[in-house]
């Protein structure tokens, strides 16, 4: 029996942090920093054991992420057009 499975079976609470971000080029290094940072935060603030702390990162397509009723993909295109017009 793996040690993490043992923690689960005996009822030790294992915190799980789920981070959702848009899939816009976050690097493996940046993801590692997010995982370490979230783990450290739970360890420092809530005194959680880092060995039983889970962090997952979910990358969501900008087509599947909406703000104020619009897809982020469309909002990004609009912002890009405004920026080009402003720079002319």
């Amino acid at each position: 029996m793996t040690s993490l499975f043992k923690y689960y079976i005996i009822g030790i609470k294992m915190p799980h942090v789920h981070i959702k971000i848009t899939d816009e080029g976050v690097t493996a290094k940046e993801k590692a920093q997010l995982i370490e940072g979230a783990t450290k935060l739970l360890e420092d603030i809530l005194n959680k054991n880092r060995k039983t702390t889970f962090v997952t990162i979910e990358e969501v397509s900008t087509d599947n992420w909406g703000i104020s009723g619009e897809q982020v993909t469309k909002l990004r295109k609009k912002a890009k057009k405004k920026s080009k017009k402003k720079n002319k």
Side-chain angles (χ1 to χ4, degrees), residues 3 6 11-12 21 34 41-42 44 47 49 52 69 87-88:
S3 60
K6 181 174 66 177
I12 293 175
I21 55 175
L34 285 171
L41 190 64
L42 285 168
D44 293 348
N47 200 32
N49 183 346
T52 59
N87 291 331
K88 285 186 178 185

Side-chain angles (χ1 to χ4, degrees), residues 40-69:
K40 183 155 178 39
L41 190 64
L42 285 168
E43 188 176 36
D44 293 348
I45 305 299
L46 300 177
N47 200 32
K48 296 297 180 179
N49 183 346
R50 70 185 297 110
K51 289 183 179 182
T52 59
T53 298
F54 291 83
V55 179
T56 55
I57 298 173
E58 180 180 357
E59 292 181 276
V60 180
S61 164
T62 56
D63 285 345
N64 297 330
W65 195 297
I67 302 171
S68 299

